[in-house]
Structures are given as structure tokens and as C-alpha cells.
Amino acid sequence: MNFGKVITAMVTPFDENGNIDLQALRELINHLIANGSDAIVVAGTTGEAPTLSHEEKAALFKNTVDFAANRVPVIAGTGTNSTYAAVELTQLAEQAGVDAVMLSTPYYNKPNQEGMYLHFKTVADATSLPVILYNVPGRTGVHLDASTTIALAENVDNIVSIKDASGDLDHMTAVISGTPEDFTLYSGDDSLTLPSAAVGAAGIISVAAHIIGNEMQSMLSSFHNGQTAYAAQQHRELVPVMDAMFSAPSPSPVKAALEMVHVKAGSVRLPLTPLTQEQEQHIYQILQRKLYSSAV
């Protein structure tokens, strides 16, 4: 299933007391839609999901659906390392009216491939929503093998896509080659947006799109229109911004960057910490160079 080319893994805005800021959420959604987001992921890793209660996630799902108002698909991050909890969250998301859910591989308990297959199948069987798998071994400690992804895509009707943050283009190629034609793969690494498109990825589930969503759309359009040299040039110009968004534990850098472009995002929750003054200055300089190069 295709959700568009640029999907933004949205931050969760917090107020000065560390609570979800619903007015800022509304304004952030408007900003993302106006700046190149074809769809939005709510309560994913970038949304600081590990620090959110079930009640907060349910409120985020409902308010994001309401604020998006059918302008773009809303994808709820409902993955966790408890299959039972993932089923419960997925059903809460379905009740809230989201368009799809995204399920990360179970973290910390490190299941084998059979365990991951049964985990994803159990959650998918508990919902009528489309399901996007999320392979992110750097965060979860487990890698979803291509063969397991292919088996899930072939045997579970509503498992329709995968976000792959393995950083391994050979692995992505194997998944794309082995899954049905209507199954899509999205890169989970901003700096691999163009390289993954070259091997058949449908697009990117992005952090940097908070800041450069339109530019990423332009780069992918250039590539798909056959302007590959120009797309490569655009890629080289965007990589410094992409890298800056991961210059400290995410989403601290992108929240700081949003504030710099006058989009309210607030701070992060512990155990994450705000950027130092030096880190903020580095991101500010990168954004200034990007703005200057866009103007000339």
C-alpha cells in the first residue's frame, strides 16, 4: 500500500509543564501538511512514545485524526514489546479513526524470527487496519529478516508495508524483490531517501521532513522524473540538514530546529535532555546555510 512519498514521523509537542500541548499539535500538523508531508506518524519513536502513557497515546491518536481532518493519512505508532499491549494500543488507535498502524519489532526481550512473525500476525489479526512493520535493529536489538517480512506480507492480508531503518540497502532490495507488488517499503533513514528510492523504495518515513519536507519531495520528484543527476545534487545539499537532526538523541535536535523556524514543539521528556547551547548553535548554523542556499 502506498501512503505517499514523504511521511513525517511527528514529534509530540509538550508545554512548559511537560504535558501534551494540543494547540501546538494542531499548528504542527498544519505546518507539516503545508510543507510536504503526504502522511503523518503519531506516537512513534520521534513522538517519544516510550514516555507516553496509554491514555496520552489515545488522546494523541484522536486529536491528530481530528486536526488532520482527512487532509493526509494518520498512522499510529502502536508497537511495543508486549504483544498484548500492542493489540490493546492498536485497537485504541482503530477506535480513534486512524488510517493505519505501525508496529516496531519487539525491543529488549529479543524474540527470534518465529516470535516476531507470531507477534506481528497476532496484532494484525486483531485489527482491520493496514499494518506497517517497522524494522529498527539499532533501537530494538533485533533484526527482522527479509524472509520473515516476506512471509508476513504473503500470509497476512493487512500487513501492507514496512519501514526499514536497518541502513542496509542489500536487505531492502531483498525485501522489495521478495514481497508482493502492492507491498511497499519505506526507508527509515533520512540520508538513504534517494539511495533507497533507487532500489525501489516507495519513499521515506522521515524526521528531517519536519524542516525540509518540500525539498525532499522535490528531490524524489526529480529522481522519478528521470532527472537523476539533479536529484543527486539535491541529496548532497540536504544531507547536512538530515545529519544535523541526529546530531544528538532524537527528537531533541528536530524539536530545537522547529523552534528555530517558529513552530512550537517544546522540550523533550526524560531520559532525553534538551540540546546544549553549543549543539543548538550547530543546528542553527546548518539551517542558516540551508536557508541561504535556497534563496540564491
Side-chain angles (χ1 to χ4, degrees), residues 158-182:
N158 59 328
I159 292 180
V160 298
S161 186
I162 186 168
K163 174 184 178 181
D164 192 280
S166 67
D168 184 343
L169 286 170
D170 287 348
H171 170 76
M172 295 185 206
T173 302
V175 170
I176 293 166
S177 298
T179 48
E181 192 172 339
D182 58 352

Short mmCIF file of all heavy atoms in Angstrom, two decimals, residues 158-182:
data_model
loop_
_atom_site.label_atom_id
_atom_site.label_comp_id
_atom_site.label_asym_id
_atom_site.label_seq_id
_atom_site.Cartn_x
_atom_site.Cartn_y
_atom_site.Cartn_z
N ASN A 158 -3.53 -7.83 5.81
CA ASN A 158 -3.47 -6.40 6.13
C ASN A 158 -2.08 -5.93 6.55
O ASN A 158 -1.91 -4.77 6.95
CB ASN A 158 -4.51 -6.03 7.20
CG ASN A 158 -4.35 -6.78 8.50
OD1 ASN A 158 -3.92 -7.92 8.52
ND2 ASN A 158 -4.72 -6.14 9.61
N ILE A 159 -1.06 -6.77 6.43
CA ILE A 159 0.32 -6.30 6.56
C ILE A 159 0.76 -5.87 5.18
O ILE A 159 0.97 -6.68 4.28
CB ILE A 159 1.24 -7.38 7.16
CG1 ILE A 159 0.85 -7.64 8.61
CG2 ILE A 159 2.71 -6.97 7.06
CD1 ILE A 159 1.69 -8.69 9.32
N VAL A 160 0.86 -4.54 4.99
CA VAL A 160 0.93 -3.98 3.64
C VAL A 160 2.22 -3.22 3.34
O VAL A 160 2.45 -2.82 2.20
CB VAL A 160 -0.27 -3.04 3.39
CG1 VAL A 160 -1.58 -3.80 3.48
CG2 VAL A 160 -0.25 -1.86 4.36
N SER A 161 3.06 -2.98 4.37
CA SER A 161 4.22 -2.12 4.15
C SER A 161 5.23 -2.34 5.27
O SER A 161 4.92 -2.98 6.29
CB SER A 161 3.76 -0.66 4.12
OG SER A 161 4.83 0.21 3.77
N ILE A 162 6.43 -1.81 5.09
CA ILE A 162 7.45 -1.84 6.13
C ILE A 162 8.26 -0.56 6.10
O ILE A 162 8.58 -0.04 5.03
CB ILE A 162 8.38 -3.08 5.99
CG1 ILE A 162 9.35 -3.16 7.18
CG2 ILE A 162 9.15 -3.05 4.67
CD1 ILE A 162 10.10 -4.49 7.26
N LYS A 163 8.55 -0.04 7.27
CA LYS A 163 9.56 1.00 7.43
C LYS A 163 10.85 0.29 7.81
O LYS A 163 10.91 -0.42 8.83
CB LYS A 163 9.16 1.99 8.53
CG LYS A 163 10.24 3.02 8.84
CD LYS A 163 9.84 3.93 10.00
CE LYS A 163 10.94 4.93 10.32
NZ LYS A 163 10.60 5.82 11.47
N ASP A 164 11.87 0.45 6.98
CA ASP A 164 13.12 -0.26 7.23
C ASP A 164 14.22 0.73 7.60
O ASP A 164 14.64 1.55 6.79
CB ASP A 164 13.55 -1.08 6.03
CG ASP A 164 14.68 -2.03 6.39
OD1 ASP A 164 15.84 -1.57 6.46
OD2 ASP A 164 14.41 -3.21 6.68
N ALA A 165 14.66 0.65 8.85
CA ALA A 165 15.74 1.51 9.33
C ALA A 165 16.98 0.67 9.64
O ALA A 165 17.74 0.99 10.56
CB ALA A 165 15.30 2.29 10.57
N SER A 166 17.17 -0.38 8.85
CA SER A 166 18.36 -1.21 9.03
C SER A 166 19.61 -0.54 8.48
O SER A 166 20.73 -0.89 8.86
CB SER A 166 18.17 -2.56 8.33
OG SER A 166 18.11 -2.39 6.91
N GLY A 167 19.41 0.41 7.56
CA GLY A 167 20.55 1.05 6.91
C GLY A 167 21.23 0.17 5.88
O GLY A 167 22.30 0.52 5.39
N ASP A 168 20.62 -0.96 5.54
CA ASP A 168 21.23 -1.97 4.68
C ASP A 168 20.47 -2.04 3.36
O ASP A 168 19.37 -2.61 3.28
CB ASP A 168 21.19 -3.32 5.40
CG ASP A 168 21.89 -4.44 4.65
OD1 ASP A 168 22.14 -4.29 3.44
OD2 ASP A 168 22.16 -5.48 5.28
N LEU A 169 21.04 -1.47 2.31
CA LEU A 169 20.36 -1.45 1.01
C LEU A 169 20.21 -2.84 0.41
O LEU A 169 19.23 -3.10 -0.29
CB LEU A 169 21.11 -0.53 0.04
CG LEU A 169 20.95 0.97 0.29
CD1 LEU A 169 21.94 1.75 -0.57
CD2 LEU A 169 19.53 1.43 0.02
N ASP A 170 21.15 -3.73 0.68
CA ASP A 170 21.01 -5.10 0.20
C ASP A 170 19.79 -5.77 0.83
O ASP A 170 19.03 -6.48 0.16
CB ASP A 170 22.26 -5.92 0.51
CG ASP A 170 23.45 -5.55 -0.37
OD1 ASP A 170 23.24 -4.83 -1.37
OD2 ASP A 170 24.57 -5.98 -0.07
N HIS A 171 19.62 -5.54 2.12
CA HIS A 171 18.46 -6.10 2.82
C HIS A 171 17.16 -5.51 2.26
O HIS A 171 16.20 -6.25 1.99
CB HIS A 171 18.56 -5.81 4.32
CG HIS A 171 17.31 -6.14 5.08
ND1 HIS A 171 16.95 -7.43 5.40
CD2 HIS A 171 16.33 -5.34 5.57
CE1 HIS A 171 15.80 -7.42 6.04
NE2 HIS A 171 15.40 -6.16 6.16
N MET A 172 17.13 -4.20 2.05
CA MET A 172 15.94 -3.56 1.49
C MET A 172 15.62 -4.13 0.12
O MET A 172 14.45 -4.40 -0.22
CB MET A 172 16.12 -2.05 1.39
CG MET A 172 16.26 -1.34 2.72
SD MET A 172 16.33 0.47 2.45
CE MET A 172 17.25 0.97 3.90
N THR A 173 16.65 -4.34 -0.68
CA THR A 173 16.47 -4.89 -2.02
C THR A 173 15.85 -6.28 -1.95
O THR A 173 14.94 -6.62 -2.73
CB THR A 173 17.81 -4.93 -2.77
OG1 THR A 173 18.35 -3.62 -2.84
CG2 THR A 173 17.64 -5.49 -4.17
N ALA A 174 16.31 -7.09 -0.99
CA ALA A 174 15.78 -8.44 -0.84
C ALA A 174 14.30 -8.39 -0.45
O ALA A 174 13.49 -9.19 -0.95
CB ALA A 174 16.59 -9.21 0.21
N VAL A 175 13.93 -7.47 0.42
CA VAL A 175 12.53 -7.34 0.83
C VAL A 175 11.67 -6.89 -0.35
O VAL A 175 10.61 -7.48 -0.61
CB VAL A 175 12.39 -6.34 2.01
CG1 VAL A 175 10.92 -6.02 2.28
CG2 VAL A 175 13.06 -6.90 3.26
N ILE A 176 12.12 -5.88 -1.07
CA ILE A 176 11.36 -5.38 -2.22
C ILE A 176 11.22 -6.46 -3.28
O ILE A 176 10.14 -6.64 -3.87
CB ILE A 176 12.03 -4.12 -2.79
CG1 ILE A 176 11.95 -2.97 -1.78
CG2 ILE A 176 11.38 -3.70 -4.11
CD1 ILE A 176 12.86 -1.79 -2.10
N SER A 177 12.27 -7.20 -3.51
CA SER A 177 12.25 -8.25 -4.54
C SER A 177 11.33 -9.40 -4.16
O SER A 177 10.70 -10.02 -5.04
CB SER A 177 13.66 -8.80 -4.77
OG SER A 177 14.52 -7.80 -5.24
N GLY A 178 11.23 -9.71 -2.86
CA GLY A 178 10.51 -10.91 -2.43
C GLY A 178 9.07 -10.72 -2.04
O GLY A 178 8.33 -11.69 -1.90
N THR A 179 8.64 -9.47 -1.85
CA THR A 179 7.27 -9.23 -1.40
C THR A 179 6.35 -8.96 -2.59
O THR A 179 6.81 -8.63 -3.68
CB THR A 179 7.24 -8.02 -0.43
OG1 THR A 179 7.97 -6.93 -1.00
CG2 THR A 179 7.84 -8.38 0.91
N PRO A 180 5.03 -9.10 -2.38
CA PRO A 180 4.08 -8.84 -3.47
C PRO A 180 4.22 -7.42 -4.01
O PRO A 180 4.69 -6.52 -3.32
CB PRO A 180 2.72 -9.05 -2.80
CG PRO A 180 2.99 -9.98 -1.66
CD PRO A 180 4.35 -9.61 -1.17
N GLU A 181 3.78 -7.22 -5.24
CA GLU A 181 3.97 -5.94 -5.92
C GLU A 181 3.32 -4.78 -5.19
O GLU A 181 3.82 -3.65 -5.23
CB GLU A 181 3.42 -6.04 -7.35
CG GLU A 181 3.81 -4.87 -8.24
CD GLU A 181 3.42 -5.09 -9.69
OE1 GLU A 181 3.21 -6.25 -10.09
OE2 GLU A 181 3.31 -4.08 -10.41
N ASP A 182 2.19 -5.04 -4.51
CA ASP A 182 1.49 -3.95 -3.82
C ASP A 182 1.99 -3.72 -2.40
O ASP A 182 1.48 -2.86 -1.68
CB ASP A 182 -0.02 -4.18 -3.82
CG ASP A 182 -0.42 -5.50 -3.16
OD1 ASP A 182 0.49 -6.31 -2.84
OD2 ASP A 182 -1.62 -5.73 -2.97
#
